[in-house]
Amino acid sequence: MPGPLPSRTGRPSGPGDRHPALPVQRSRRHAHQTTNAVGWWQPPKGRPPASEDSARHRVAEITDVLPAVLAPARQRPVGRRAVRRRSQHGRPVSADEQRARRLRLLRRTLLGTAAAVVLGPVLAFAVGYVVFAVPSPDDAVNNQVAVVSFGDGTHLTRLVPEEGNRTKVAIEQVPPHVRHAVLAAEDRSFYSNPGFDLTGILRAAWNQVRGSVGGGSTITQQFVKKALVGDEQTLWRKYKEVILAVKISQARSKDQILADYLNTIYFGRGAYGIQSAAHAYFGKNVGDLTPSEAALLAGLIQSPSRWDPAVNPDRAAERWRFVLDGMAAQGWLDPTVGAGAEFPRTAPRKALAGGVPGDSRGHIVSAVTAELESLGITGEDLAHEGLRITTTVDPERQEQAVAAAHVALDGQPVNLRSAMVAIDPATGGVLAYYGGDNGLGLDYARVRRLAGSTFKPFVVLAALQHDPPVGLGEVYDGEELPGLRNAEGADCDECDLKQAMTVSNNVVFHTLARQVGPAAVAAAAQAAGITAPLDDPNEGIALGNKEVSVLDLASAYATIAAGGVWHQPHLVRSVVTADDRVLYEAATEGERRFPERVARNVAEAMLDVAEHDGLALPGGRPVAAKTGTVQSRFEGQNNDAWMAGFTPSVTSAVWMGTDMNSPIRTARGTPIQGSSLPGDVWQEFMADALADEPVEQFAPFRAIGEPPANREPSSKPTPTPTPAPTAAPIATTPP
């Protein structure tokens, strides 16, 4: 028989293993066990196994194993070395195994990153290689030229057309010293590099990350950039540039690429290509250029408009010397020749049309370029940045304006000149712009001339804002005074301001200007939008003894039409690059210059003028207007004549005069006044421009001060005290 069981000194093994976190407990049964004894895991003989119910109420003995849910919480060991994890098989994971796992994960991450770094650019390059087409030299030049469009997107002009300013030449026609000059200035490793400069690209990328610009481009990249019109400082543009540079390098020889570049690059003075540049600066063919002349042209490439010797001789000379030294350093020029070279003399700059049409559209283009210059978009940007410029000009209304002027001037004296500007009061956008038929000559829409009676609405504007305000019903004596005459038919014994405006009575407005102060009249006119200087005004400002332009007058009247909100008059709606970046978009919000109620009262004073002068618009359309006539020093003659007016949606102003500021007469010898030929132009344009538009009403009228009487100005009013011309007018009640 087997002997007694050995005593247990450790944890029991087998199916009865206790939870490792529990201490080993011993029972008295272990000390008295015999071979016939029952194991501790078995119930003793003579005692039936406890049922489920009885076990539920039995007190646990010390030998019972506690269920896991009742076991005391394990104390988590402190310290990294003491942390033990279990593998998927339940075996604890050692710290060394954990470190090995982390190392494997790190290696996989690094390998994945390296693969992305290597394979990503390869994949991107492959996609771009398939997608991007190789540009031609013609594409490059065409994409550089700025295009100007009407407001509806139809073509107006190309600012620097290809015709006449570019002549292609073969590389054999370009002398070696001319080629070397360009290489010394732009890319000295041209014949050895692969078409792109990796160092320059990385430098450009780093600069863009830091928020600055700069980098480096080979001649091949420069050609691609001009072809793509991509001066945007982005990695996307650089990406396209590199891919196309590689494609071009594989498809064309170095000489072909250099020839394309020399026939494409812009040199200033409207010249594209080396042959045109040679003529523009030296009046000779490229084959006749000296090394010194070639160095000057090569130095212009980086900034032709700014470094033209006629603009910045010091900078031009600095670049010229840089190119000569580079040629000598590369062994392309004898150093003694370079050291002894003299700075070449260039031909004087010529005023180029630059794509400006010779007809009336030319003034639109010139006004657009001047406006772009004020926005910081230079002539160089226009010459080779491929800008797409959309104007505010409505092509149909522009045609109507030109046609109205031509009809009125047809058969009239050849010395007559006319100008007209129409503006949208809601935005300040110029709808039509006519400065004369010679697009390369004087722009009469911007010429300043005496305003005449078209300045009277600004006197009313000042009076309505006077303290106390002077209302439209204020009555004045309108009889002529010594040295102050009225036009024929404008006299009135007594008339209020609206009646005086309708007949254009000079005496009433001269008196009113003295009452409110000439400086207040000048301030009101400038608040409305007159930009001309109105220095040292006197009472004569009420009769237009200050000069204004047609554009200024149309803008100021548009402010009244817009309820006192001034909008900057402009012809440029937007400027977009060839790669669809918006460089500029005109603002549409305005600036309130005077209250809407004041503006509506000024318009009310002008509502009967057009009908009184026989210039009413069809369909009974309400229109506020004012004529103006500037008398000549010759008795009974006039030098300038105006007509201006507005509806809620269109404002227009017309002027007629001569270059010599001489008397203006019709073909029959009749003196021209505002209500005659200028009025005909204005009426015909406004009727045509609004023919398809619904009849618009002005806002309801709420009088400020005394309301107008709405009666004939020459009739006697009900008896009221009438002030003398030099006395202060009757006080009115503030609104």
Side-chain angles (χ1 to χ4, degrees), residues 37 201 214 217 226 276 296 403 414 419 487 510 525 595 605 633 690 701-702 724:
I201 293 171
S217 294
K226 296 303 179 186
S276 295
L296 186 147
V414 295
H510 191 273
R633 68 180 186 275
L690 296 168
F701 171 62
R702 294 182 299 144

Side-chain angles (χ1 to χ4, degrees), residues 397 400-401 404-405 420-425 431-432 554 557 561 610 615-618 621-625 643-654 678-694 696 698:
R397 284 171 171 165
Q400 292 164 346
M420 197 196 79
V421 173
I423 291 179
D424 180 357
L431 301 173
Y557 275 30
L615 299 172
L617 298 183
R621 184 184 297 271
V623 61
M643 176 63 182
F646 55 86
T647 66
S649 61
V650 178
T651 301
S652 62
V654 178
D680 294 341
V681 176
W682 178 87
Q683 183 185 41
E684 182 171 350
F685 168 77
M686 292 292 284
D688 291 342
L690 296 168
D692 297 328
E693 303 295 330
E696 297 174 284
F698 287 97

Side-chain angles (χ1 to χ4, degrees), residues 25 66 72 99 180 201 294 342 369 380 386 481 508 560 574 724:
Q25 300 182 10
L66 294 177
R99 282 195 297 273
H180 292 152
I201 293 171
E342 294 184 359
T369 56
E380 183 177 352
L481 298 173
V508 170
I560 301 173
S574 65

Side-chain angles (χ1 to χ4, degrees), residues 99-316:
R99 282 195 297 273
R101 285 183 177 180
R102 286 195 293 269
L103 288 175
R104 285 195 298 272
L105 179 61
L106 179 60
R107 282 196 297 268
R108 291 170 183 170
T109 302
L110 292 177
L111 287 174
T113 303
V117 170
V118 174
L119 297 179
V122 172
L123 179 60
F125 183 88
V127 172
Y129 197 90
V130 173
V131 172
F132 299 137
V134 176
S136 69
D138 291 336
D139 292 335
V141 173
N142 291 338
N143 285 338
Q144 291 179 74
V145 174
V147 176
V148 183
S149 303
F150 285 110
D152 62 353
T154 56
H155 180 79
L156 176 56
T157 189
R158 291 157 54 92
L159 281 181
V160 183
E162 182 181 359
E163 299 79 17
N165 68 341
R166 175 174 178 249
T167 303
K168 296 181 184 179
V169 291
I171 193 66
E172 293 78 16
Q173 296 175 261
V174 182
H177 60 265
V178 177
R179 301 181 226 171
H180 292 152
V182 173
L183 296 180
E186 298 300 316
D187 186 2
R188 298 179 186 181
S189 65
F190 171 72
Y191 279 98
S192 61
N193 65 49
F196 60 90
D197 181 5
L198 183 58
T199 303
I201 293 171
L202 294 177
R203 183 167 60 252
W206 173 244
N207 288 337
Q208 288 162 15
V209 169
R210 293 187 305 166
S212 59
V213 298
S217 294
T218 66
I219 277 181
T220 309
Q221 288 175 264
Q222 290 184 49
F223 169 71
V224 170
K225 182 171 68 174
K226 296 303 179 186
L228 292 173
V229 194
D231 278 338
E232 184 182 11
Q233 297 295 327
T234 64
L235 295 178
W236 170 253
R237 195 269 297 169
K238 209 70 177 177
Y239 160 68
K240 294 191 295 184
E241 181 182 300
V242 171
I243 290 176
L244 286 177
V246 172
K247 291 188 71 172
I248 289 175
S249 297
Q250 293 178 346
R252 301 175 189 171
S253 68
K254 287 290 187 178
D255 282 347
Q256 287 175 321
I257 295 172
L258 182 58
D260 290 343
Y261 179 78
L262 291 174
N263 284 317
T264 299
I265 201 69
Y266 182 67
F267 287 89
R269 300 194 180 186
Y272 288 95
I274 190 69
Q275 172 70 357
S276 295
H279 277 281
Y281 287 89
F282 301 109
K284 59 175 65 174
N285 292 323
V286 64
D288 299 326
L289 292 175
T290 66
S292 180
E293 293 167 342
L296 186 147
L297 292 180
L300 292 172
I301 293 175
Q302 281 193 11
S303 186
S305 297
R306 295 183 178 92
W307 296 349
D308 187 321
V311 176
N312 193 338
D314 294 337
R315 185 59 172 150

